[in-house]
Amino acid sequence: MLLVVNANNTNTKFSIYDGDTAVGEWRQHTSAMRTGDEHAVWLLQLMEIEGIDRKAIDDAIIATVVPQALFNLRRLCTRYLNCTPLVLGEEGVELGIEVRATPPVGADRIANTVGAGVLFPGQAAVVVDIGTATTFDVVDGQGNYVGGVIAPGINLSLEALHNATTLLPRIVVQRPDRVIGTNTVACMHSGVFWGYVGLMEGIISRIETEFGGPMLVIATGGLAPVFEGATNVIAHTVPDITMRGLLEIHRRSRGL
């Protein structure tokens, strides 16, 4: 079995795959201060609850956009799972695609690109990852990464709005019933929700114009389900596209 780790700015996701099937999935808050021992105490207990024997893990792959977290994630694998993990961006990792952009490109964005190519082969696509940042990854019909867009994340915007004003409260993202709000909180919900719908629709339209044709739009990330059904530009919501991409990169790198 394979341990797949994706460490993003807010959360780190751990998935265990038996072939193509995820038999365990867990998240923890990303912290560069968390030691390999602490990772192990947390993860091995969750594996035990699911009935997964740690001795069944024979390999691992790690992607991270938080370089300071890598040492302890690697130590988790080498000390407690008896395997030397592949690390996206290091020597020996075979992506199987071209990255037509000036490096560095975020490991999660590369994994999103590979995942899109595997799940939707032969289709030009845009992967909209709605997380700490809202990113748009542009994938051509051959599965190559050709560039993208990075915008501030929704929660970052909400936090900035709260911190920079005296009277506006901290709120969570949710879809409002109406566009026109009749109180402060309703106005904020409408502004952030429909504002980001407009952001996605506008950027995707411009990407398609520049790319030269319609593209398949795939949403992923922690907040993607909030926007499901809110706009017809999003064709699919695929929560695990990043992990599927890492699974494929592992296969290509190990010659499986």
Side-chain angles (χ1 to χ4, degrees), residues 58-72:
D58 53 22
D59 210 349
I61 183 168
I62 300 171
T64 180
V65 296
V66 184
Q68 301 89 337
L70 178 57
F71 175 84
N72 287 312

Side-chain angles (χ1 to χ4, degrees), residues 114-183:
V114 175
V118 169
L119 296 175
F120 306 97
Q123 298 192 59
V126 181
V127 182
V128 185
D129 197 334
I130 311 171
T132 307
T134 301
T135 62
F136 300 75
D137 303 318
V138 181
V139 186
D140 67 16
Q142 290 73 50
N144 301 310
Y145 176 84
V146 297
V149 176
I150 301 175
I154 300 167
N155 285 327
L156 284 177
S157 297
L158 282 174
E159 195 66 18
L161 190 63
H162 169 70
N163 289 333
T165 59
T166 302
L167 297 178
L168 296 184
R170 182 179 282 110
I171 65 170
V172 296
V173 183
Q174 65 183 49
R175 181 174 179 172
D177 295 328
R178 297 168 52 86
V179 175
I180 302 173
T182 55
N183 58 62

Side-chain angles (χ1 to χ4, degrees), residues 7-12 28-31 65-66 131-133 155-156:
N8 285 325
N9 289 294
T10 302
N11 291 313
T12 299
Q28 67 177 197
H29 180 70
T30 300
S31 172
V65 296
V66 184
T132 307
N155 285 327
L156 284 177

Side-chain angles (χ1 to χ4, degrees), residues 112-122 143 244-245 247-249 251-252:
N112 285 345
T113 300
V114 175
V118 169
L119 296 175
F120 306 97
R244 297 289 298 186
L247 179 63
E248 180 63 22
I249 290 169
R251 289 173 173 166
R252 293 173 182 178

